[in-house]
Amino acid sequence: MVGAQRAAPAREEGPGLAERLGCLDAATRRINGSLDLRTTLRDLGRVLVPVLADAMVVHLRDPLPALDRDPGPPTALRLHHGHGTRLGRRARLCRPAPDGPLARALADRAPYGPVVLGTPGAERLRPLLAELYGARTLGRLPAGTALLALPLRGRRAVLGLLLLIRRPGRAGLVRFEPEDTATARHLATQAGLAVDTALRYAREFETARELQRRMLPTHLPQPHGVRLAHRYLPGESGAQVGGDWYDSVELPGNRVALIVGDVMGHSLTSAAVMGQLRTSAQTLAGLDLPPHEVLYHLDEQARHLGAEQHLATCVYAVYDPIANRVVLANAGHVPPVLIGPDGDAELLELPPGAPIGVGGVDFSSTELAAPPGSAMLLFTDGLVETRRRPLTTGLELLRARLAVAHRHSPEHLCQDALRVLPPGDRADDIALLAAVFDGIPAGDVAYWYLQPRRETPGRARRLAAHALRRWGLEQLSESTELMVSELVTNAIRHATRPVTLRLVRTSRLRCEVGDDSPALPRARRAGPEDEHGRGLQIVARCADEWGATRLGAGKVVWFEQRLPARR
């Protein structure tokens, strides 16, 4: 143990010196064994007490400084850790007086002491202790108490003060001998560097966590026919930031893409790669590619980003509330849970694929029925795999739990899923995306294929008017027929194959016109002599919202209108 041969002379050789050096090495490794500030200070106390002192107190700057530059003299010190003593518990914050003894001790970067209270040499340490703890607290220390104050030096600045205490009646010598002081100085140097490292890690950790938080969506779209909820839980105290993410993207035809992914590794780089992959997934979703094609392009993008050292798993699903189907593809991710209307919950046996970034791997899509009343939970492995519970056990616990709670809202689905987590056993972050499938009744959808002919716009107007009469929406006929005519006219001008016309009635009336030309229309101001160019201006004026989406083979131009109030 450190200090076991405290009274040995400096010229000591042989096993005694080797033992002291071995103990110093073991103590140094223990002090530097954690990146957590609280754990570092706790381990420092266990190294010093009772081997080198009966008690120790650590005061650190308040606030803790940024370590990329010299912060200058400390304006305040806060008691961060005490081991074996209650000294200073009532005076946790101290503001060193300019040019006072405490400020000089920190500026000198040299040991203050050792001294023994009640002896003449103690007077030079007493003002420093009085400034730290107050004269009344200092007066409670009995004569014969030995004290040693040491600065904790980081790489750029003094970060705080370490105080060692030996009480009268201690077994062995009470006063700190030169060997003890040298040992304490060595360990204080190591502790200062360990505190510096822990502060730097904590700052990087907070930066990564804030980066990840800002990269995740705070609100998800709520498209018709499906209800969504999400959760993100960072790892518990001491866990590193991961790269878990969730997302949903609205697609043409009232469909919605559901995405959950997990970048392997825990670092600021993992969070950054997550943000890049999430942005790429959103862009690819907007192209309306099949799920396996989205994963293929994500894999290509990941390798272009140089993210091959940070592989990612992902599940990409597309739900169609009109067809009541869901199409999924998996890239090495944990399987989603599908809950049927009858409450039966199953882990989907999808082709597992390989993680994104591996390269040269084929992905495949699987299509499943998703009738109204069913639900799906996509999640990352932090939900089901912990330090003491294997993945297979966690998956089965989750499946059984969701089978009991299938009739709840998506918010309740997330809450019930999180109940499978054992307390205090979560080192990884967790992302959840819950979807309850309500569907859109077939009677609220009208869909036609139209040949690209001159008479097609007139036929499209008549079909739209008939659907609106069937739905009792005659009030919207005039504006809808006008906009349908303009969009179909534009479509047949560029189309080489039949164009599509779809009307969907939900809480709004949505119209979509699709063709096989990839060129997106742009609204422009038509001149007095122009014969064309006013169609989209008419749509923009008449519709509540409108837009255009490029598809894998062509595009869709759409508009929406509010339904008239019921009388």
Side-chain angles (χ1 to χ4, degrees):
M1 299 296 289
V2 176
Q5 301 193 17
R6 184 180 304 110
R11 62 179 179 276
E12 176 182 27
E13 298 178 357
L17 178 59
E19 181 181 354
R20 177 180 290 276
L21 293 176
C23 291
L24 279 174
D25 179 66
T28 298
R29 281 189 275 109
R30 181 167 187 175
I31 292 171
N32 289 278
S34 173
L35 293 174
D36 177 66
L37 177 60
R38 184 175 299 180
T39 303
T40 296
L41 296 179
R42 183 192 64 205
D43 289 342
L44 177 63
R46 290 174 177 173
V47 164
L48 295 174
V49 179
V51 177
L52 198 60
D54 297 315
M56 61 148 264
V57 182
V58 174
H59 295 264
L60 296 180
R61 285 173 176 261
D62 188 81
L64 294 171
L67 300 174
D68 54 348
R69 62 185 184 275
D70 189 341
T75 57
L77 292 178
R78 183 175 294 276
L79 190 149
H80 269 257
H81 186 76
H83 196 106
T85 179
R86 299 183 61 84
L87 182 65
R89 292 296 176 88
R90 295 184 180 178
R92 300 184 67 88
L93 187 65
C94 167
R95 301 188 183 279
D99 297 325
L102 183 53
R104 291 195 300 271
L106 295 172
D108 292 343
R109 302 189 176 198
Y112 224 73
V115 300
V116 177
L117 294 183
T119 64
E123 294 308 314
R124 63 192 185 93
L125 185 59
R126 186 176 292 275
L128 182 148
L129 297 175
E131 193 173 0
L132 268 176
Y133 306 114
R136 179 177 299 181
T137 301
L138 183 59
R140 297 194 186 103
L141 294 176
T145 300
L147 301 168
L148 176 60
L150 298 160
L152 292 175
R153 291 173 288 184
R155 290 167 177 81
R156 289 181 177 268
V158 173
L159 302 177
L161 189 73
L162 168 66
L163 181 67
L164 300 180
I165 305 170
R166 286 183 177 179
R167 299 187 180 95
R170 169 185 172 84
L173 292 175
V174 173
R175 67 179 181 274
F176 288 94
E177 295 296 322
E179 309 95 276
D180 301 326
T181 302
T183 299
R185 290 186 67 175
H186 173 82
L187 295 178
T189 298
Q190 295 300 318
L193 294 174
V195 168
D196 187 294
T197 299
L199 292 178
R200 291 174 187 272
Y201 173 77
R203 193 167 301 277
E204 178 180 336
F205 176 79
E206 289 303 321
T207 300
R209 178 166 290 183
E210 179 66 14
L211 174 65
Q212 184 180 42
R213 187 186 67 80
R214 290 181 177 274
M215 286 181 176
L216 291 174
T218 55
H219 301 286
L220 293 179
Q222 294 295 333
H224 297 290
V226 60
R227 288 172 287 148
L228 303 177
H230 61 89
R231 291 288 189 279
Y232 173 76
L233 277 70
E236 291 178 333
S237 177
Q240 294 178 309
V241 171
D244 293 16
W245 89 90
Y246 58 88
D247 210 348
S248 68
V249 181
E250 292 186 90
L251 303 176
N254 291 87
R255 294 169 302 136
V256 59
L258 309 172
I259 313 166
V260 164
D262 182 3
V263 176
M264 299 181 187
H266 298 82
S267 66
L268 183 59
T269 304
S270 298
V273 170
M274 178 272 288
Q276 293 172 312
L277 290 179
R278 178 179 170 246
T279 301
S280 297
Q282 285 182 321
T283 303
L284 292 167
L287 297 177
D288 201 24
L289 300 174
H292 65 277
E293 287 288 330
V294 171
L295 294 185
Y296 170 79
H297 288 292
L298 270 181
D299 180 63
E300 289 288 308
Q301 183 69 15
R303 289 187 289 134
H304 289 322
L305 293 172
E308 62 275 2
Q309 299 303 316
H310 291 267
L311 304 178
T313 63
C314 181
V315 169
Y316 184 93
V318 175
Y319 169 63
D320 187 336
I322 297 174
N324 294 314
R325 309 287 291 178
V326 62
V327 183
L328 308 96
N330 188 1
H333 201 76
V334 287
V337 178
L338 180 65
I339 307 107
D342 59 354
D344 182 46
E346 61 173 321
L347 293 164
L348 296 180
E349 296 183 2
L350 305 175
I356 292 168
V358 170
V361 179
D362 289 332
F363 301 99
S364 59
S365 294
T366 301
E367 184 173 353
L368 302 169
S374 58
M376 179 179 289
L377 181 74
L378 295 84
F379 54 94
T380 55
D381 58 1
L383 177 67
V384 290
E385 186 175 31
T386 66
R387 299 182 186 94
R388 295 186 292 272
R389 188 174 67 191
L391 177 64
T392 53
T393 302
L395 286 172
E396 178 55 31
L397 287 173
L398 177 64
R399 187 205 62 78
R401 180 78 197 186
L402 296 184
V404 175
H406 73 282
R407 294 193 181 278
H408 292 170
S409 68
E411 292 288 343
H412 285 107
L413 199 62
C414 289
Q415 294 173 11
D416 285 318
L418 292 175
R419 290 194 175 101
V420 306
L421 287 170
D425 189 26
R426 178 165 53 84
D428 201 359
D429 51 345
I430 298 170
L432 303 179
L433 180 59
V436 174
F437 303 139
D438 298 324
I440 296 176
D444 290 331
V445 182
Y447 192 87
W448 302 277
Y449 286 95
L450 305 172
Q451 295 297 326
R453 299 168 181 163
R454 292 182 58 183
E455 64 271 17
T456 296
R459 181 166 183 255
R461 289 194 300 270
R462 293 190 295 273
L463 292 172
H466 176 73
L468 294 180
R469 285 195 300 271
R470 179 160 55 89
W471 291 334
L473 299 176
E474 290 88 347
Q475 291 175 260
L476 299 179
S477 287
E478 184 177 353
S479 59
T480 302
E481 289 181 53
L482 176 60
M483 290 187 284
V484 165
S485 180
E486 293 295 339
L487 294 186
V488 172
T489 298
N490 287 341
I492 64 174
R493 183 177 296 122
H494 305 286
T496 60
R497 297 179 180 179
V499 302
T500 58
L501 171 62
R502 185 204 298 257
L503 295 178
V504 181
R505 180 187 63 170
T506 55
S507 61
R508 300 166 72 87
L509 177 67
R510 182 180 176 95
C511 173
E512 297 178 346
V513 176
D515 63 72
D516 62 342
S517 171
L520 296 181
R522 294 287 185 265
R524 62 185 179 88
R525 185 178 299 277
E529 305 299 326
D530 290 340
E531 294 293 332
H532 306 288
R534 295 178 176 83
L536 289 182
Q537 291 186 20
I538 294 173
V539 173
R541 286 182 177 273
C542 295
D544 294 314
E545 292 184 64
W546 77 279
T549 304
R550 183 177 284 114
L551 305 180
K555 65 176 179 295
V556 165
V557 185
W558 57 270
F559 65 82
E560 289 186 350
Q561 300 175 88
R562 288 187 295 271
L563 300 185
R566 294 184 179 180
R567 297 179 179 177

